[in-house]
Amino acid sequence: MTLARFVRSLLLAGSVFCALAAPHAALARPGVVALEKSQYLQGDFTLNRHLSGFDKGLKSQGDFVLVPGAGLIWQTTAPFPGTTVLGPGGIVNIDANGDRNKLGTGEAQFGIFVDLISSVLEGNWSALENRFHVEFSPPGDDTWQVKLTPFGESAIGGQITDIVATGDTFVQQVRLNKPGGDFDDISLSRQQTRNLPLPDDKAALLPKAAGE
């Protein structure tokens, strides 16, 4: 399973919020590492998709690279290798043979979606407050939790019940709850920030992120 299936469920929601106007560092809440414009975030992920009526979820693992404003590279290594690249120009699947399948064109909703998922992975909650009710739970000794509930009249409200993110220095867990009892759990680990430009192999997948 690739991120593409996860992406399609969110794309049905339409426009989520406007592109960010202020620097990421200025909007990130305390407790989350803020990415500068000259930085990117990398780490590993485990995605578990749970479907109502099935005892076991569908599990995939791999690594990701997030470049704010440029896009997200989501590389699945198990159970089947594959890469999904999300950028303002659309969504592209790349299989183990290097064959590319473009899932979308450069419509505004794709750029908006990149901003959405980037904001969640960065812990940039201020960017979501125009479409979500943002609720902060009392922090623990080293952790925090944020619940994002779509406003009732928003398009996304019919597709997502809520999003719950937990973490410490970085976002560590994201749970996306959907109507009908389905949900996706994304666990993030080994996260670290690095300075651009990207390594050559990653830059080839997301040229605009190469610092050109």
Side-chain angles (χ1 to χ4, degrees), residues 159-177:
Q159 305 295 327
I160 299 172
T161 304
D162 57 58
I163 300 171
V164 179
T166 58
D168 42 40
T169 304
F170 295 99
V171 177
Q172 301 289 352
Q173 189 86 21
V174 179
R175 175 165 171 150
L176 190 150
N177 294 309

Side-chain angles (χ1 to χ4, degrees), residues 50-121:
H50 298 267
L51 303 176
S52 180
F54 292 86
D55 294 332
K56 293 185 178 180
L58 303 173
K59 180 179 179 180
S60 61
Q61 295 175 297
D63 58 79
F64 72 91
V65 171
L66 170 67
V67 184
L72 173 70
I73 302 170
W74 196 268
Q75 293 188 292
T76 302
T77 56
F80 305 105
T83 300
T84 300
V85 180
L86 297 89
I91 302 173
V92 177
N93 266 351
I94 306 172
D95 64 22
N97 298 320
D99 294 329
R100 293 174 176 250
N101 177 30
K102 195 163 188 177
L103 303 180
T105 58
E107 299 175 4
Q109 64 177 359
F110 293 103
I112 290 170
F113 177 75
V114 171
D115 283 340
L116 166 62
I117 196 168
S118 297
S119 295
V120 172
L121 292 179

Side-chain angles (χ1 to χ4, degrees), residues 90-199:
I91 302 173
V92 177
N93 266 351
I94 306 172
D95 64 22
N97 298 320
D99 294 329
R100 293 174 176 250
N101 177 30
K102 195 163 188 177
L103 303 180
T105 58
E107 299 175 4
Q109 64 177 359
F110 293 103
I112 290 170
F113 177 75
V114 171
D115 283 340
L116 166 62
I117 196 168
S118 297
S119 295
V120 172
L121 292 179
E122 290 179 68
N124 189 358
W125 316 120
S126 297
L128 303 172
E129 290 178 342
N130 63 327
R131 292 300 179 100
F132 290 88
H133 172 68
V134 182
E135 179 182 357
F136 293 86
S137 297
D141 292 337
D142 299 307
T143 61
W144 47 262
Q145 178 174 294
V146 178
K147 182 177 181 180
L148 306 172
T149 305
F151 294 152
E153 296 182 357
S154 68
I156 199 170
Q159 305 295 327
I160 299 172
T161 304
D162 57 58
I163 300 171
V164 179
T166 58
D168 42 40
T169 304
F170 295 99
V171 177
Q172 301 289 352
Q173 189 86 21
V174 179
R175 175 165 171 150
L176 190 150
N177 294 309
K178 305 174 186 178
D182 296 349
F183 64 92
D184 294 333
D185 265 330
I186 305 175
S187 299
L188 306 173
S189 60
R190 299 179 61 187
Q191 297 181 78
Q192 53 185 316
T193 58
R194 292 186 177 275
N195 293 325
L196 291 170
L198 289 173

Side-chain angles (χ1 to χ4, degrees), residues 3-14 49 113 156 159-160 176 178 184:
L3 182 65
R5 296 178 184 175
F6 168 70
V7 168
R8 279 195 287 266
S9 68
L10 285 182
L11 286 177
L12 293 174
R49 165 160 287 183
F113 177 75
I156 199 170
Q159 305 295 327
I160 299 172
L176 190 150
K178 305 174 186 178
D184 294 333

Side-chain angles (χ1 to χ4, degrees), residues 194-210:
R194 292 186 177 275
N195 293 325
L196 291 170
L198 289 173
D200 290 343
D201 59 333
K202 303 295 185 184
L205 298 172
L206 192 65
K208 290 184 179 180

